[in-house]
Amino acid sequence: MKLSDKQEMFCQEYMVNNFNATAAYKKVYGVSGKQEESNGNRLIRNDKIKTRLDELKKETREYYQITKVS
């Protein structure tokens, strides 16, 4: 599974922005208004994006040795 550079950047920004898809989309794609909200939400429903976000979340939990996820 290969993401485009912008999709990977979106995933990284999503993690940095406290799981805020709108903020991540705005930062990576440079758009504003309704487009950033709808497209950000659309991206996090994309199977490849979901898989990458799950990987990043797992890496974060392992790095910080988080054992309980609520």
Side-chain angles (χ1 to χ4, degrees), residues 7 10-11 20 24 27-28 36 44 46 59 63 66:
Q7 287 174 322
F10 172 81
C11 291
N20 185 324
K27 175 94 178 199
V28 173
E36 69 191 32
I44 61 171
N46 175 296
E59 290 171 12
Y63 179 81
I66 298 170

Side-chain angles (χ1 to χ4, degrees), residues 15 19 21 27 37 47 52 64 66 70:
M15 297 295 291
F19 312 111
K27 175 94 178 199
E37 184 177 342
D47 287 337
R52 180 63 179 138
Y64 289 105
I66 298 170
S70 34

Side-chain angles (χ1 to χ4, degrees), residues 15-54:
M15 297 295 291
V16 171
N17 283 295
N18 296 313
F19 312 111
N20 185 324
T22 302
Y25 192 87
K26 182 178 181 178
K27 175 94 178 199
V28 173
Y29 291 92
V31 297
S32 60
K34 288 280 186 191
Q35 187 179 13
E36 69 191 32
E37 184 177 342
S38 62
N39 288 344
N41 287 325
R42 180 181 50 79
L43 270 182
I44 61 171
R45 290 190 308 269
N46 175 296
D47 287 337
K48 290 192 306 186
I49 299 287
K50 273 199 265 188
T51 299
R52 180 63 179 138
L53 290 173
D54 288 343

